[in-house]
Amino acid sequence: MKLLLEKAHIEGIRYYDTYRKNGGYSSVEKALKMSPDEIVEEVKKSGLRGRGGAGFPTGMKWSFLAKPEGVPRHLVCNADESEPGTFKDRYLMEFLPHLFIEGMIISSYALGSNTSYIYIRGEYAWIPDILEQAIAEAKEAGWLGKNIKGTGFDCEIYVQRGGGAYICGEETALIESLEGKRGNPRIKPPFPAVQGLWMRPTVVNNVETIAAVGPIITMGGDEYAKLGAGRSTGTKLISACGNLNKPGVYEIDFNLSVEEFIYSDEYCGGIPNGKKLKACIPGGSSVPILPANLLLHESNGNKRLMNYESLSEGGFQTGTMLGSGGFIVLDEDQCVVRHTMSLAHFYNHESCGQCSPCREGTGWMYKILKNIEYGKGKMEDIDLLWDIQRRIEGNTICPLGDAAAWPVAAAIRHFRDEFEWHVLHPEEAQTRNYGLAHYAEPRTIVAAQ
Amino acid sequence: MIQFSPEKINKVNEIIARYPEGKQKGALIPLLHLAQEEFGGWLDAPVMDYVASLLDIKPIEVYEVATFYTMFNMKPVGKYVLEVCQTGPCMLRGSDQIIDHIKNKLGIKAGETTADGLFTLKPAECLGACGYAPMMQLGKFYKENLTIEKVDQLIEELRAAAATAN
Ligand SMILES: Cc1cc2nc3c(=O)[nH]c(=O)nc-3n(C[C@H](O)[C@H](O)[C@H](O)COP(=O)(O)O)c2cc1C
Ligand code: SF4
Ligand code: FES
């Protein structure tokens, strides 16, 4: 069942008139007849969890928002989308801007935000025009501005471009950046819900989270909660990339198996040139990489499903995370050491430099991985890498430290033999890749049933 | 003299008005984008000082921000900046070969500009186009699903465009 992308194929759906004719803004109409607290209640009942990566329950986050007398509150939408492998928010904003703006209006009303901001990564330079047009159209139709539809509620939405920095996806760095500063994360507490943008109570939510609010109001929180699997309610956008026949953005049911997602023609259509699956990072570059055999099945032998609980089954020993839904697939020709080195370079480049374990540790990890990849590594380097990542994790101001440590830890945990092979065969490692070893398992389904 | 056109000044005022009274510094990053576009593709110190004066903040507050973000160029760049993504997911689909090809074809290293001032190669980190890899950012837009042939064609087109512009 599609909730978010249902109308994506309709010609001209980017424009207000077409969107409205196809049932658009009926969710806002319904919401404006409810009280703000009733909306928060519906979102709580829906079980919606933040789609930015951490999966925190949205209704609960909203209910934490402080409401001191006379102090403005803000809704800030996180459209920084910079986690490698993730490109779903871009799809929503480019093709369904009004679905997103509907969610912004309802959420602003529910939270009492008269001025809401969309912070979008600077590189998505053509998207602010699309959003600003949608906002202007919505305003023209009376869904934004002063005294919206006679409710007495005023609301303006502004789009701000970032300047190119992954760290600004972290909510407190994003707030700093919106204030016109360097993107250095703040020490928490205080949390944004109490002191956020300009020290005012602030809610930061991901684009996909906000976009889900319209459908939740339309169908009701209880109905939304019936979709999905257990605590993974509703639907999720997955951005699939790497070695796949049909990479792209898909809206999935949380009961879908990982195997079907990769191999069926309805989704990614399998791996090009009949190659075998070697490994996958299913939730954006920060989550642990898994070899094919662990990816497709839980420890009890059941098929692993595309939801929060199933993907994390087994903890970090044998599981991973749904994260942002950036699904990265590596085929049998890919080198795990090289891929991990590339990610280590990314985190080193993106560290804001405030905490020494992250600033220095990410640099050391990159250097060591580069040595191993280019045939200059020693056996002790593998243990040293393990040691460095362990010392970063949990010892930093923001979770970027963990995000940098986990990919390295998981690569060593599951692919240690590939690292050792690089050390033992430095020359051969320059001419060919290690290949599959024992990581893969023959797949059991051929195509979609 | 560094000065926005009256039309751009209107835009500046419109951006500043998005922030509450006294919080106009919020407009800094958007104004730096405007300034970089307007004043030659990079941010020279006098340009940053001008932005500081528009926001009534100290120049150092602008420098420290401009140097933090990768999109702001602190030295002159070519007319066309080829920002090719090199992060993992793009690497899996051949971004290394695209970057090598551009280096060889243009005779420059990463971060360098061709002698004719036309092209700068700037390897970039994930640009949110991983499913359409390999890819590059060129000005405001992305060029996706790149191949060696597409890159060759693009470079020819840009050369032709620059020749007619002159
Ligand atoms: C280094 C780092 C980068 C992040 N990048 C993003 C991002 O690009 N988009 C996003 O929505 N959340 C990102 N987050 C998570 C945000 O801090 C925050 O949890 C999220 O925006 C909350 O929204 P949600 O509850 O709707 O998911 C990032 C977190 C960290 C630590
Ligand atoms: S963990 Fe890294 S990115 Fe986060 S605040 Fe510390 S240095 Fe900055
Ligand atoms: S890794 Fe290149 S666009 Fe994401």
Side-chain angles (χ1 to χ4, degrees):
Chain A
M1 170 158 184
K2 289 199 166 71
L3 292 181
L4 300 175
L5 303 189
E6 192 194 352
K7 295 175 189 154
H9 64 281
I10 299 173
E11 172 97 18
I13 199 72
R14 193 189 268 188
Y15 303 105
Y16 179 79
D17 290 342
T18 312
Y19 189 74
R20 180 72 174 144
K21 268 192 222 112
N22 285 279
Y25 286 84
S26 57
S27 66
V28 184
E29 232 163 352
K30 185 172 174 189
L32 293 176
K33 295 196 185 98
M34 297 163 66
S35 75
D37 288 345
E38 281 168 346
I39 296 172
V40 175
E41 208 42 48
E42 288 304 315
V43 173
K44 268 194 192 160
K45 278 195 231 159
S46 74
L48 175 66
R49 291 164 69 177
R51 302 296 194 226
F56 190 82
T58 306
M60 201 190 294
K61 180 185 274 193
W62 286 12
S63 63
F64 290 156
L65 185 67
K67 296 181 176 164
E69 202 57 43
V71 182
R73 305 187 280 276
H74 294 288
L75 169 67
V76 174
C77 180
N78 189 341
D80 193 56
E81 188 157 70
S82 314
E83 167 101 350
T86 316
F87 49 99
K88 65 188 176 71
D89 297 338
R90 164 186 171 189
Y91 189 94
L92 277 176
M93 294 187 286
E94 259 190 293
F95 299 109
L96 292 160
H98 280 289
L99 174 71
F100 172 42
I101 298 303
E102 267 187 293
M104 285 297 294
I105 298 169
I106 301 171
S107 307
S108 299
Y109 174 69
L111 299 167
S113 166
N114 301 118
T115 313
S116 301
Y117 295 92
I118 298 168
Y119 183 94
I120 183 167
R121 66 175 301 173
E123 295 89 345
Y124 286 170
W126 69 99
I127 299 182
D129 296 347
I130 298 172
L131 295 178
E132 278 166 0
Q133 173 168 355
I135 291 167
E137 287 175 334
K139 198 166 173 178
E140 175 79 25
W143 301 110
L144 279 168
K146 291 245 172 290
N147 187 19
I148 297 170
K149 304 286 176 191
T151 54
F153 176 65
D154 304 338
C155 185
E156 296 291 344
I157 299 173
Y158 298 115
V159 183
Q160 161 153 348
R161 279 174 74 197
Y166 167 65
I167 191 57
C168 290
E170 194 281 332
E171 55 185 10
T172 60
L174 185 155
I175 288 170
E176 289 283 302
S177 186
L178 253 182
E179 293 183 0
K181 302 182 197 151
R182 294 166 75 94
N184 289 332
R186 296 177 181 170
I187 294 173
K188 298 193 246 190
F191 289 91
V194 180
Q195 288 185 322
L197 185 60
W198 302 301
M199 291 298 157
R200 299 166 176 180
T202 304
V203 163
V204 181
N205 272 131
N206 172 260
V207 175
E208 187 189 347
T209 313
I210 300 274
V213 171
I216 287 172
I217 293 305
T218 300
M219 68 197 297
D222 287 331
E223 286 304 305
Y224 185 88
K226 283 185 198 155
L227 301 172
R231 286 181 55 238
S232 299
T233 63
T235 60
K236 175 86 185 86
L237 296 185
I238 303 290
S239 58
C241 61
N243 305 118
L244 289 168
N245 277 319
K246 296 196 298 170
V249 177
Y250 297 95
E251 181 168 7
I252 59 135
D253 181 315
F254 282 119
N255 294 296
L256 184 71
S257 74
V258 176
E259 187 170 23
E260 194 175 344
F261 182 66
I262 296 178
Y263 291 106
S264 86
D265 287 332
E266 201 188 333
Y267 298 98
C268 302
I271 296 170
N273 309 318
K275 301 266 184 205
K276 291 204 179 75
L277 173 68
K278 177 172 181 175
C280 173
I281 304 173
S285 63
S286 304
V287 312
I289 186 171
L290 285 186
N293 51 3
L294 293 180
L295 176 76
L296 300 181
H297 299 281
E298 295 182 2
S299 48
N300 58 16
N302 289 346
K303 284 189 176 175
R304 210 186 271 280
L305 307 180
M306 300 282 290
N307 65 51
Y308 292 98
E309 290 73 26
S310 185
L311 280 169
S312 59
E313 191 278 333
F316 278 7
Q317 284 311 309
T318 57
T320 173
M321 285 159 76
L322 177 64
S324 64
F327 194 90
I328 309 168
V329 169
L330 284 72
D331 73 16
E332 60 186 283
D333 290 345
Q334 302 299 341
C335 172
V336 168
V337 177
R338 189 169 182 80
H339 195 262
T340 310
M341 174 190 81
S342 156
L343 295 184
H345 181 271
F346 172 81
Y347 289 107
N348 182 37
H349 183 261
E350 302 300 334
S351 167
C352 84
Q354 277 192 115
C355 337
S356 30
C358 171
R359 182 187 61 238
E360 305 301 325
T362 54
W364 293 341
M365 290 198 299
Y366 170 63
K367 278 190 200 127
I368 296 168
L369 281 160
K370 196 171 162 198
N371 279 343
I372 297 175
E373 165 65 9
Y374 287 100
K376 293 185 206 110
K378 299 196 234 20
M379 273 305 174
E380 311 87 89
D381 286 343
I382 303 171
D383 292 322
L384 183 59
L385 262 182
W386 182 267
D387 197 46
I388 297 170
Q389 69 78 22
R390 193 175 56 81
R391 283 163 200 271
I392 299 174
E393 190 194 1
N395 291 320
T396 55
I397 293 175
C398 92
L400 186 139
D402 298 351
W406 294 342
V408 173
I412 298 176
R413 185 181 298 120
H414 300 300
F415 299 89
R416 194 175 182 109
D417 50 345
E418 188 161 346
F419 284 82
E420 290 175 352
W421 178 79
H422 274 75
V423 173
L424 293 173
H425 307 277
E427 287 181 7
E428 198 181 348
Q430 302 312 300
T431 58
R432 75 171 185 94
N433 282 336
Y434 184 61
L436 273 181
H438 51 274
Y439 309 134
E441 200 163 77
R443 65 192 173 86
T444 48
I445 56 167
V446 177
Q449 271 88 41
Chain B
M1 165 106 178
I2 293 158
Q3 176 104 50
F4 280 129
S5 63
E7 183 202 331
K8 282 275 151 62
I9 285 287
N10 285 342
K11 183 80 195 164
V12 167
N13 290 331
E14 184 200 312
I15 293 173
I16 291 175
R18 297 172 184 174
Y19 303 88
E21 193 97 24
K23 310 291 182 198
Q24 77 285 358
K25 187 176 171 181
L28 178 52
I29 293 173
L31 292 200
L32 286 175
H33 279 301
L34 266 188
Q36 180 159 293
E37 265 164 46
E38 190 76 3
F39 303 114
W42 70 292
L43 296 172
D44 199 359
V47 172
M48 292 192 277
D49 295 348
Y50 174 59
V51 170
S53 72
L54 291 172
L55 289 174
D56 197 17
I57 56 180
K58 296 194 187 70
I60 181 70
E61 295 178 77
V62 179
Y63 306 159
E64 65 175 14
V65 166
T67 51
F68 185 85
Y69 296 94
T70 52
M71 291 183 79
F72 300 123
N73 298 313
M74 292 296 114
K75 53 179 207 237
V77 291
K79 187 174 171 66
Y80 304 108
V81 185
L82 310 178
E83 301 183 55
V84 187
C85 174
Q86 61 180 1
T87 312
C90 275
M91 198 187 80
L92 296 174
R93 294 179 81 92
S95 61
D96 287 352
Q97 287 88 313
I98 298 289
I99 293 173
D100 285 346
H101 179 70
I102 295 176
K103 284 181 183 165
N104 291 335
K105 188 175 172 84
L106 299 179
I108 50 176
K109 295 207 226 24
E112 290 181 353
T113 301
T114 51
D116 59 6
L118 274 190
F119 299 103
T120 301
L121 173 63
K122 191 170 162 184
E125 299 295 346
C126 180
L127 292 164
C130 331
Y132 325 108
M135 60 78 63
M136 70 163 88
Q137 175 153 35
L138 178 68
K140 190 171 177 177
F141 298 100
Y142 286 1
K143 303 281 174 189
E144 300 174 330
N145 299 308
L146 292 177
T147 57
I148 302 280
E149 295 72 42
K150 281 195 197 170
V151 171
D152 285 344
Q153 197 188 338
L154 179 68
I155 289 176
E156 287 324 308
E157 281 168 18
L158 294 174
R159 279 190 176 134
T164 42
N166 283 337

